[in-house]
PDB file of all heavy atoms in Angstrom:
ATOM      1  N   CYS B 863      -3.578   4.968  -5.803  1.00  0.00           N
ATOM      2  CA  CYS B 863      -2.418   5.193  -6.716  1.00  0.00           C
ATOM      3  C   CYS B 863      -2.993   5.669  -8.052  1.00  0.00           C
ATOM      4  O   CYS B 863      -3.493   4.835  -8.827  1.00  0.00           O
ATOM      5  CB  CYS B 863      -1.576   3.984  -6.855  1.00  0.00           C
ATOM      6  SG  CYS B 863      -0.996   3.304  -5.230  1.00  0.00           S
ATOM      7  N   GLY B 864      -2.839   6.892  -8.428  1.00  0.00           N
ATOM      8  CA  GLY B 864      -3.499   7.507  -9.593  1.00  0.00           C
ATOM      9  C   GLY B 864      -2.695   7.443 -10.878  1.00  0.00           C
ATOM     10  O   GLY B 864      -3.221   7.887 -11.832  1.00  0.00           O
ATOM     11  N   GLY B 865      -1.510   6.874 -10.831  1.00  0.00           N
ATOM     12  CA  GLY B 865      -0.625   6.917 -12.076  1.00  0.00           C
ATOM     13  C   GLY B 865      -0.672   5.672 -12.854  1.00  0.00           C
ATOM     14  O   GLY B 865      -0.994   4.559 -12.205  1.00  0.00           O
ATOM     15  N   ILE B 866      -0.271   5.682 -14.006  1.00  0.00           N
ATOM     16  CA  ILE B 866      -0.222   4.534 -14.827  1.00  0.00           C
ATOM     17  C   ILE B 866       0.995   3.745 -14.700  1.00  0.00           C
ATOM     18  O   ILE B 866       1.251   2.577 -14.855  1.00  0.00           O
ATOM     19  CB  ILE B 866      -0.428   4.874 -16.417  1.00  0.00           C
ATOM     20  CG1 ILE B 866      -0.620   3.587 -17.280  1.00  0.00           C
ATOM     21  CG2 ILE B 866       0.671   5.613 -16.914  1.00  0.00           C
ATOM     22  CD1 ILE B 866      -1.010   3.912 -18.655  1.00  0.00           C
ATOM     23  N   HIS B 867       2.070   4.459 -14.147  1.00  0.00           N
ATOM     24  CA  HIS B 867       3.424   3.810 -13.885  1.00  0.00           C
ATOM     25  C   HIS B 867       3.891   4.428 -12.546  1.00  0.00           C
ATOM     26  O   HIS B 867       3.659   5.474 -12.158  1.00  0.00           O
ATOM     27  CB  HIS B 867       4.431   4.211 -14.960  1.00  0.00           C
ATOM     28  CG  HIS B 867       5.755   3.873 -14.693  1.00  0.00           C
ATOM     29  ND1 HIS B 867       6.245   2.541 -14.863  1.00  0.00           N
ATOM     30  CD2 HIS B 867       6.822   4.610 -14.120  1.00  0.00           C
ATOM     31  CE1 HIS B 867       7.553   2.367 -14.459  1.00  0.00           C
ATOM     32  NE2 HIS B 867       7.907   3.738 -14.042  1.00  0.00           N
ATOM     33  N   MET B 868       4.543   3.528 -11.808  1.00  0.00           N
ATOM     34  CA  MET B 868       5.072   3.942 -10.528  1.00  0.00           C
ATOM     35  C   MET B 868       6.360   3.096 -10.287  1.00  0.00           C
ATOM     36  O   MET B 868       6.536   1.902 -10.680  1.00  0.00           O
ATOM     37  CB  MET B 868       4.079   3.509  -9.384  1.00  0.00           C
ATOM     38  CG  MET B 868       4.531   4.015  -7.997  1.00  0.00           C
ATOM     39  SD  MET B 868       3.229   3.755  -6.606  1.00  0.00           S
ATOM     40  CE  MET B 868       2.389   5.346  -6.860  1.00  0.00           C
ATOM     41  N   SER B 869       7.311   3.688  -9.561  1.00  0.00           N
ATOM     42  CA  SER B 869       8.616   2.947  -9.353  1.00  0.00           C
ATOM     43  C   SER B 869       8.307   1.838  -8.253  1.00  0.00           C
ATOM     44  O   SER B 869       7.072   1.913  -7.650  1.00  0.00           O
ATOM     45  CB  SER B 869       9.627   3.953  -8.818  1.00  0.00           C
ATOM     46  OG  SER B 869       9.176   4.649  -7.587  1.00  0.00           O
ATOM     47  N   ASP B 870       9.173   1.053  -8.052  1.00  0.00           N
ATOM     48  CA  ASP B 870       8.981  -0.219  -7.156  1.00  0.00           C
ATOM     49  C   ASP B 870       8.514   0.259  -5.772  1.00  0.00           C
ATOM     50  O   ASP B 870       9.064   1.275  -5.180  1.00  0.00           O
ATOM     51  CB  ASP B 870      10.064  -1.016  -7.075  1.00  0.00           C
ATOM     52  CG  ASP B 870      10.371  -1.904  -8.376  1.00  0.00           C
ATOM     53  OD1 ASP B 870       9.483  -1.793  -9.224  1.00  0.00           O
ATOM     54  OD2 ASP B 870      11.544  -2.450  -8.571  1.00  0.00           O
ATOM     55  N   ILE B 871       7.591  -0.511  -5.090  1.00  0.00           N
ATOM     56  CA  ILE B 871       7.142  -0.184  -3.834  1.00  0.00           C
ATOM     57  C   ILE B 871       8.130  -0.922  -2.827  1.00  0.00           C
ATOM     58  O   ILE B 871       8.338  -2.130  -2.946  1.00  0.00           O
ATOM     59  CB  ILE B 871       5.652  -0.712  -3.633  1.00  0.00           C
ATOM     60  CG1 ILE B 871       4.767  -0.064  -4.685  1.00  0.00           C
ATOM     61  CG2 ILE B 871       5.297  -0.478  -2.161  1.00  0.00           C
ATOM     62  CD1 ILE B 871       3.388  -0.668  -4.709  1.00  0.00           C
ATOM     63  N   PRO B 872       8.683  -0.251  -1.932  1.00  0.00           N
ATOM     64  CA  PRO B 872       9.597  -0.836  -0.870  1.00  0.00           C
ATOM     65  C   PRO B 872       8.813  -1.751   0.087  1.00  0.00           C
ATOM     66  O   PRO B 872       7.587  -1.587   0.254  1.00  0.00           O
ATOM     67  CB  PRO B 872      10.224   0.321  -0.279  1.00  0.00           C
ATOM     68  CG  PRO B 872       9.233   1.499  -0.367  1.00  0.00           C
ATOM     69  CD  PRO B 872       8.559   1.310  -1.716  1.00  0.00           C
ATOM     70  N   THR B 873       9.420  -2.626   0.703  1.00  0.00           N
ATOM     71  CA  THR B 873       8.741  -3.369   1.796  1.00  0.00           C
ATOM     72  C   THR B 873       8.410  -2.494   2.882  1.00  0.00           C
ATOM     73  O   THR B 873       9.055  -1.509   3.180  1.00  0.00           O
ATOM     74  CB  THR B 873       9.698  -4.541   2.288  1.00  0.00           C
ATOM     75  OG1 THR B 873      10.857  -3.956   2.784  1.00  0.00           O
ATOM     76  CG2 THR B 873      10.018  -5.524   1.158  1.00  0.00           C
ATOM     77  N   PHE B 874       7.418  -2.786   3.589  1.00  0.00           N
ATOM     78  CA  PHE B 874       6.968  -2.080   4.799  1.00  0.00           C
ATOM     79  C   PHE B 874       6.230  -2.918   5.697  1.00  0.00           C
ATOM     80  O   PHE B 874       5.716  -3.991   5.391  1.00  0.00           O
ATOM     81  CB  PHE B 874       6.081  -0.871   4.294  1.00  0.00           C
ATOM     82  CG  PHE B 874       4.821  -1.301   3.659  1.00  0.00           C
ATOM     83  CD1 PHE B 874       3.582  -1.517   4.343  1.00  0.00           C
ATOM     84  CD2 PHE B 874       4.707  -1.292   2.308  1.00  0.00           C
ATOM     85  CE1 PHE B 874       2.512  -1.949   3.671  1.00  0.00           C
ATOM     86  CE2 PHE B 874       3.558  -1.572   1.529  1.00  0.00           C
ATOM     87  CZ  PHE B 874       2.374  -1.929   2.259  1.00  0.00           C
ATOM     88  N   PRO B 875       6.226  -2.564   7.038  1.00  0.00           N
ATOM     89  CA  PRO B 875       5.627  -3.487   8.081  1.00  0.00           C
ATOM     90  C   PRO B 875       4.101  -3.624   7.916  1.00  0.00           C
ATOM     91  O   PRO B 875       3.386  -2.475   7.506  1.00  0.00           O
ATOM     92  CB  PRO B 875       6.022  -2.784   9.351  1.00  0.00           C
ATOM     93  CG  PRO B 875       6.319  -1.302   9.011  1.00  0.00           C
ATOM     94  CD  PRO B 875       6.825  -1.364   7.655  1.00  0.00           C
ATOM     95  N   TYR B 876       3.637  -4.698   8.118  1.00  0.00           N
ATOM     96  CA  TYR B 876       2.116  -5.010   7.981  1.00  0.00           C
ATOM     97  C   TYR B 876       1.396  -3.925   8.908  1.00  0.00           C
ATOM     98  O   TYR B 876       0.229  -3.782   8.524  1.00  0.00           O
ATOM     99  CB  TYR B 876       1.970  -6.447   8.415  1.00  0.00           C
ATOM    100  CG  TYR B 876       0.418  -6.817   8.432  1.00  0.00           C
ATOM    101  CD1 TYR B 876      -0.354  -6.733   7.171  1.00  0.00           C
ATOM    102  CD2 TYR B 876      -0.190  -7.181   9.551  1.00  0.00           C
ATOM    103  CE1 TYR B 876      -1.640  -7.102   7.074  1.00  0.00           C
ATOM    104  CE2 TYR B 876      -1.592  -7.536   9.444  1.00  0.00           C
ATOM    105  CZ  TYR B 876      -2.287  -7.436   8.297  1.00  0.00           C
ATOM    106  OH  TYR B 876      -3.633  -7.749   8.338  1.00  0.00           O
ATOM    107  N   GLU B 877       1.990  -3.534   9.892  1.00  0.00           N
ATOM    108  CA  GLU B 877       1.389  -2.671  10.885  1.00  0.00           C
ATOM    109  C   GLU B 877       0.774  -1.439  10.120  1.00  0.00           C
ATOM    110  O   GLU B 877      -0.288  -0.869  10.458  1.00  0.00           O
ATOM    111  CB  GLU B 877       2.360  -2.168  11.961  1.00  0.00           C
ATOM    112  CG  GLU B 877       1.846  -1.204  13.000  1.00  0.00           C
ATOM    113  CD  GLU B 877       2.779  -0.639  13.850  1.00  0.00           C
ATOM    114  OE1 GLU B 877       3.954  -1.075  13.711  1.00  0.00           O
ATOM    115  OE2 GLU B 877       2.484   0.218  14.733  1.00  0.00           O
ATOM    116  N   LEU B 878       1.466  -0.956   9.083  1.00  0.00           N
ATOM    117  CA  LEU B 878       0.946   0.192   8.337  1.00  0.00           C
ATOM    118  C   LEU B 878      -0.214  -0.082   7.472  1.00  0.00           C
ATOM    119  O   LEU B 878      -1.106   0.720   7.302  1.00  0.00           O
ATOM    120  CB  LEU B 878       1.961   0.725   7.330  1.00  0.00           C
ATOM    121  CG  LEU B 878       3.398   1.303   7.960  1.00  0.00           C
ATOM    122  CD1 LEU B 878       4.245   1.750   6.816  1.00  0.00           C
ATOM    123  CD2 LEU B 878       2.999   2.386   8.867  1.00  0.00           C
ATOM    124  N   LEU B 879      -0.524  -1.326   7.090  1.00  0.00           N
ATOM    125  CA  LEU B 879      -1.606  -1.657   6.286  1.00  0.00           C
ATOM    126  C   LEU B 879      -2.754  -2.135   7.315  1.00  0.00           C
ATOM    127  O   LEU B 879      -4.028  -1.996   6.859  1.00  0.00           O
ATOM    128  CB  LEU B 879      -1.354  -2.789   5.351  1.00  0.00           C
ATOM    129  CG  LEU B 879      -2.366  -3.255   4.271  1.00  0.00           C
ATOM    130  CD1 LEU B 879      -2.825  -2.016   3.394  1.00  0.00           C
ATOM    131  CD2 LEU B 879      -1.855  -4.332   3.503  1.00  0.00           C
ATOM    132  N   TRP B 880      -2.469  -2.683   8.374  1.00  0.00           N
ATOM    133  CA  TRP B 880      -3.451  -3.290   9.312  1.00  0.00           C
ATOM    134  C   TRP B 880      -4.443  -2.230   9.678  1.00  0.00           C
ATOM    135  O   TRP B 880      -4.216  -1.055   9.584  1.00  0.00           O
ATOM    136  CB  TRP B 880      -2.726  -3.820  10.532  1.00  0.00           C
ATOM    137  CG  TRP B 880      -3.687  -4.524  11.434  1.00  0.00           C
ATOM    138  CD1 TRP B 880      -4.164  -5.911  11.291  1.00  0.00           C
ATOM    139  CD2 TRP B 880      -4.238  -4.034  12.585  1.00  0.00           C
ATOM    140  NE1 TRP B 880      -4.993  -6.165  12.362  1.00  0.00           N
ATOM    141  CE2 TRP B 880      -5.063  -5.047  13.135  1.00  0.00           C
ATOM    142  CE3 TRP B 880      -4.211  -2.818  13.266  1.00  0.00           C
ATOM    143  CZ2 TRP B 880      -5.851  -4.949  14.292  1.00  0.00           C
ATOM    144  CZ3 TRP B 880      -4.926  -2.581  14.393  1.00  0.00           C
ATOM    145  CH2 TRP B 880      -5.719  -3.624  14.882  1.00  0.00           C
ATOM    146  N   GLY B 881      -5.671  -2.577  10.199  1.00  0.00           N
ATOM    147  CA  GLY B 881      -6.618  -1.687  10.549  1.00  0.00           C
ATOM    148  C   GLY B 881      -7.529  -1.502   9.363  1.00  0.00           C
ATOM    149  O   GLY B 881      -8.253  -0.309   9.293  1.00  0.00           O
ATOM    150  N   GLU B 882      -7.696  -2.382   8.464  1.00  0.00           N
ATOM    151  CA  GLU B 882      -8.503  -2.279   7.308  1.00  0.00           C
ATOM    152  C   GLU B 882      -8.316  -1.031   6.328  1.00  0.00           C
ATOM    153  O   GLU B 882      -9.156  -0.455   5.793  1.00  0.00           O
ATOM    154  CB  GLU B 882     -10.008  -2.379   7.721  1.00  0.00           C
ATOM    155  CG  GLU B 882     -10.371  -3.600   8.400  1.00  0.00           C
ATOM    156  CD  GLU B 882     -11.736  -3.856   8.661  1.00  0.00           C
ATOM    157  OE1 GLU B 882     -12.627  -2.879   8.350  1.00  0.00           O
ATOM    158  OE2 GLU B 882     -12.228  -4.834   9.183  1.00  0.00           O
ATOM    159  N   ARG B 883      -6.877  -0.733   6.415  1.00  0.00           N
ATOM    160  CA  ARG B 883      -6.547   0.274   5.380  1.00  0.00           C
ATOM    161  C   ARG B 883      -6.555  -0.435   4.085  1.00  0.00           C
ATOM    162  O   ARG B 883      -6.272  -1.521   3.877  1.00  0.00           O
ATOM    163  CB  ARG B 883      -5.111   0.849   5.728  1.00  0.00           C
ATOM    164  CG  ARG B 883      -5.238   1.712   7.069  1.00  0.00           C
ATOM    165  CD  ARG B 883      -3.898   2.144   7.405  1.00  0.00           C
ATOM    166  NE  ARG B 883      -3.823   2.960   8.571  1.00  0.00           N
ATOM    167  CZ  ARG B 883      -3.810   2.516   9.831  1.00  0.00           C
ATOM    168  NH1 ARG B 883      -3.694   1.277  10.052  1.00  0.00           N
ATOM    169  NH2 ARG B 883      -3.854   3.433  10.903  1.00  0.00           N
ATOM    170  N   GLU B 884      -6.692   0.364   2.993  1.00  0.00           N
ATOM    171  CA  GLU B 884      -6.652  -0.190   1.671  1.00  0.00           C
ATOM    172  C   GLU B 884      -5.743   0.549   0.739  1.00  0.00           C
ATOM    173  O   GLU B 884      -5.510   1.775   0.834  1.00  0.00           O
ATOM    174  CB  GLU B 884      -8.106  -0.049   0.992  1.00  0.00           C
ATOM    175  CG  GLU B 884      -9.185  -0.868   1.713  1.00  0.00           C
ATOM    176  CD  GLU B 884     -10.496  -0.565   1.100  1.00  0.00           C
ATOM    177  OE1 GLU B 884     -10.635  -0.819  -0.132  1.00  0.00           O
ATOM    178  OE2 GLU B 884     -11.423  -0.058   1.776  1.00  0.00           O
ATOM    179  N   ILE B 885      -5.161  -0.194  -0.260  1.00  0.00           N
ATOM    180  CA  ILE B 885      -4.361   0.407  -1.327  1.00  0.00           C
ATOM    181  C   ILE B 885      -5.062   0.038  -2.673  1.00  0.00           C
ATOM    182  O   ILE B 885      -5.299  -1.183  -2.967  1.00  0.00           O
ATOM    183  CB  ILE B 885      -2.871  -0.150  -1.401  1.00  0.00           C
ATOM    184  CG1 ILE B 885      -2.270   0.126  -0.054  1.00  0.00           C
ATOM    185  CG2 ILE B 885      -2.070   0.445  -2.572  1.00  0.00           C
ATOM    186  CD1 ILE B 885      -0.873  -0.627   0.086  1.00  0.00           C
ATOM    187  N   ILE B 886      -5.343   1.117  -3.458  1.00  0.00           N
ATOM    188  CA  ILE B 886      -6.087   0.866  -4.658  1.00  0.00           C
ATOM    189  C   ILE B 886      -5.413   1.467  -5.855  1.00  0.00           C
ATOM    190  O   ILE B 886      -4.861   2.584  -5.726  1.00  0.00           O
ATOM    191  CB  ILE B 886      -7.561   1.445  -4.648  1.00  0.00           C
ATOM    192  CG1 ILE B 886      -8.342   0.766  -3.524  1.00  0.00           C
ATOM    193  CG2 ILE B 886      -8.320   1.215  -5.897  1.00  0.00           C
ATOM    194  CD1 ILE B 886      -9.682   1.482  -3.194  1.00  0.00           C
ATOM    195  N   SER B 887      -5.289   0.763  -7.005  1.00  0.00           N
ATOM    196  CA  SER B 887      -4.776   1.397  -8.183  1.00  0.00           C
ATOM    197  C   SER B 887      -5.901   1.868  -9.108  1.00  0.00           C
ATOM    198  O   SER B 887      -7.034   1.461  -8.996  1.00  0.00           O
ATOM    199  CB  SER B 887      -3.858   0.446  -8.990  1.00  0.00           C
ATOM    200  OG  SER B 887      -4.624  -0.701  -9.456  1.00  0.00           O
ATOM    201  N   VAL B 888      -5.581   2.658 -10.022  1.00  0.00           N
ATOM    202  CA  VAL B 888      -6.562   3.276 -10.928  1.00  0.00           C
ATOM    203  C   VAL B 888      -6.088   3.020 -12.362  1.00  0.00           C
ATOM    204  O   VAL B 888      -4.939   3.152 -12.700  1.00  0.00           O
ATOM    205  CB  VAL B 888      -6.727   4.828 -10.773  1.00  0.00           C
ATOM    206  CG1 VAL B 888      -7.648   5.358 -11.818  1.00  0.00           C
ATOM    207  CG2 VAL B 888      -7.370   5.049  -9.435  1.00  0.00           C
TER     208      VAL B 888
END
């Protein structure tokens, strides 16, 4: 996530994150 501001993140199923995917802010 490359921005300093972002609108709210909606809920999502854990399946999308599973598999050692990562979410990183800058």
Side-chain angles (χ1 to χ4, degrees):
C863 305
I866 192 172
H867 171 81
M868 182 175 273
S869 59
D870 289 347
I871 303 167
T873 58
F874 58 86
Y876 177 64
E877 178 185 0
L878 293 181
L879 186 61
W880 186 80
E882 300 189 354
R883 295 176 177 88
E884 300 177 54
I885 303 171
I886 302 174
S887 68
V888 173

